[in-house]
Amino acid sequence: KAGVTQTPRYLIKTRGQQVTLSCSPISGHRSVSWYQQTPGQGLQFLFEYFSETQRNKGNFPGRFSGRQFSNSRSEMNVSTLELGDSALYLCASSSPGPQYFGPGTRLLVL
Amino acid sequence: EDQVTQSPEALRLQEGESSSLNCSYTVSGLRGLFWYRQDPGKGPEFLFTLYSAGEEKEKERLKATLTKKESFLHITAPKPEDSATYLCAVQGGSEKLVFGKGTKLTVNP
């Protein structure tokens, strides 16, 4: 089975721009979660989607949003980028059970 | 609020030198405790799920155990390829996965 895929793998943006990241879960997995990973804060939960509905949300500002499509693929969007948004963004899918992670998207905000 | 604390933050071992990593947690209604391994620049790789106190899981040189307050990841006779950051996470009644900050393990040949 193919694993979780994320695109793009690397992104460089400037402050004030917006960005959209994409995640394709493992086939048959209907739950997709997003995390932000930074050296100082570790892995922090952003939100979880199940059957196109947001089921859980972490403590991030409204600039961070997401959605899930009928084929379980998911996107997350960050608007009005800030320097502190530079991080590795990870997507994970589950069926339920353990979450399986993708390779992440490395975002650098200049 | 669910919390996970991992110790030590970093651990350096010689090849063959066994040791344990600790994961202390507080959670409302434990649904599962998870161990992951993360290599630099990659996403976490799932290792184990533990569901109740007393449960143990093994995989090659790794063994995970669980009590009501903490979990241990025992590494027996480690090899350099075991070098990675090991992450612990809990899932409680909210179903959110809460991660610790990890233990960075270095195994020298």
Side-chain angles (χ1 to χ4, degrees), chain B residues 32-62:
Chain B
L33 184 141
F34 304 84
W35 282 98
Y36 288 84
R37 168 196 170 125
Q38 187 174 25
D39 293 298
K42 296 188 176 182
E45 174 189 345
F46 170 71
L47 293 173
F48 303 110
T49 308
L50 301 167
Y51 293 103
S52 57
E55 191 175 358
E56 299 182 352
K57 293 271 180 76
E58 280 189 74
K59 179 180 178 181
E60 295 181 356
R61 296 177 292 282
L62 300 177

Side-chain angles (χ1 to χ4, degrees), chain A residues 67-88:
Chain A
R67 59 178 175 168
Q68 187 180 33
F69 303 95
S70 59
N71 62 359
S72 294
R73 192 177 69 84
S74 178
E75 289 182 346
M76 69 162 280
N77 183 275
V78 188
S79 62
T80 321
L81 283 166
E82 301 177 359
L83 295 179
D85 296 333
S86 294
L88 180 66

Side-chain angles (χ1 to χ4, degrees), chain A residues 35 37 40 56-57 99 102, chain B residues 36 38 43 46 94 96-97 101:
Chain A
Y35 296 85
Q37 187 174 34
N56 252 317
K57 190 176 189 305
Q99 293 185 9
Chain B
Y36 288 84
Q38 187 174 25
F46 170 71
S94 70
K96 296 180 187 179
L97 209 56
K101 294 196 174 180

